[in-house]
Every structure is written in structure tokens, then in C-alpha cells.
Amino acid sequence: IKSDYLNALNVNAKGVKIYSESYNLREPKIQQLRVCFTLQENQFVKAGNKTIFVQVVNPKNQSISKDNSYVEDALGARLQFSTISEVNYNKKDTDVCAYVDLEKNKTIKGNYIINIYSDFTKIGSTIFEYK
């Protein structure tokens, strides 16, 4: 399919624990999700800097979003996001990883939906199971 949209392949997420001097080894919760994906090679997409939004939605359908970050389009539609990646895209497969800080009160066991957006177009998604 020829299209001038980006496409995110091989989307995967892993839980990350941050180890530090203040880290409690008995603390079972992850503090971040590492979301990695490949922006697919596409000769129809203009090369240059691309803003990629990563949205993480918990099992209660709440967006994980520090300070309720969102972008708005010209029509007033809102896209709430968890983190932004600025990616230099040169029409070749481009690997990207982004880190999402989890909010303690929204981090629960279950399936998280991870959506990848370029502008307001969903270009990839995956499920992360937090046990």
C-alpha cells in the first residue's frame, strides 16, 4: 500500500524499575514503561523531524499522562499523550524508544494499551500486560 503516512512496526513495551540509592528492593512496582518501535521505511513520507506521541492507557481506560499533557488540532480535537519523541526520519527504517513515567495511582495490574501517533494519526499499537 502506497501511503504518505508513517507506520510504526514491532511496537513493544517493557516495564522498567529505576535502581538508585533510595530504591527499595521490596518495591514490586515498575516506575516506567520503555516503548520501542520501528518507523517503517517509506519513500512517500517527507524526510525530516517528526513528532511522535506515545499514549499509554491503563486497564481502567485512564491515560497515563504527567500533568494531563495533550495536543489540540485546528478543529479542537484533543490527543492526550504520555510522552513525546522527536525523531529525525530519513525515509528508512528508524528505531525509536521512548520512556513513559508511570503515575503511582494509575499503575494497576492488567493490560495496558499503547498507541503510537504521528500528528493525530494512529500509526501503531500494542498491549502490555502488567502482572
Side-chain angles (χ1 to χ4, degrees), residues 26-71:
R26 288 184 294 282
E27 174 69 46
K29 286 199 167 171
I30 55 177
Q31 289 114 329
Q32 288 183 326
L33 279 182
R34 186 180 75 180
V35 179
C36 295
F37 52 92
T38 302
L39 292 177
Q40 186 179 23
E41 178 179 333
N42 186 335
Q43 295 307 312
F44 298 98
V45 173
K46 245 177 30 191
N49 284 338
K50 305 292 180 199
T51 302
I52 306 295
F53 298 97
V54 177
Q55 179 190 63
V56 177
V57 180
N58 77 6
K60 289 184 176 171
N61 209 24
Q62 299 168 309
S63 241
I64 308 280
S65 177
K66 255 197 158 90
D67 307 320
N68 289 320
S69 304
Y70 67 89
V71 286

Side-chain angles (χ1 to χ4, degrees), residues 1-101:
I1 304 169
K2 292 179 181 177
S3 113
D4 55 2
Y5 286 111
L6 285 171
N7 192 19
L9 304 175
N10 308 323
V11 181
N12 72 67
K14 287 191 170 72
V16 177
K17 291 180 182 178
I18 301 164
Y19 292 94
S20 68
E21 288 167 23
S22 64
Y23 181 78
N24 178 352
L25 284 174
R26 288 184 294 282
E27 174 69 46
K29 286 199 167 171
I30 55 177
Q31 289 114 329
Q32 288 183 326
L33 279 182
R34 186 180 75 180
V35 179
C36 295
F37 52 92
T38 302
L39 292 177
Q40 186 179 23
E41 178 179 333
N42 186 335
Q43 295 307 312
F44 298 98
V45 173
K46 245 177 30 191
N49 284 338
K50 305 292 180 199
T51 302
I52 306 295
F53 298 97
V54 177
Q55 179 190 63
V56 177
V57 180
N58 77 6
K60 289 184 176 171
N61 209 24
Q62 299 168 309
S63 241
I64 308 280
S65 177
K66 255 197 158 90
D67 307 320
N68 289 320
S69 304
Y70 67 89
V71 286
E72 209 168 287
D73 72 4
L75 302 171
R78 286 184 175 190
L79 171 63
Q80 195 167 17
F81 61 86
S82 306
T83 192
I84 296 179
S85 283
E86 294 291 338
V87 179
N88 186 359
Y89 181 75
N90 57 6
K91 301 188 180 206
K92 293 187 170 44
D93 283 352
T94 306
D95 293 327
V96 180
C97 284
Y99 289 86
V100 175
D101 290 325

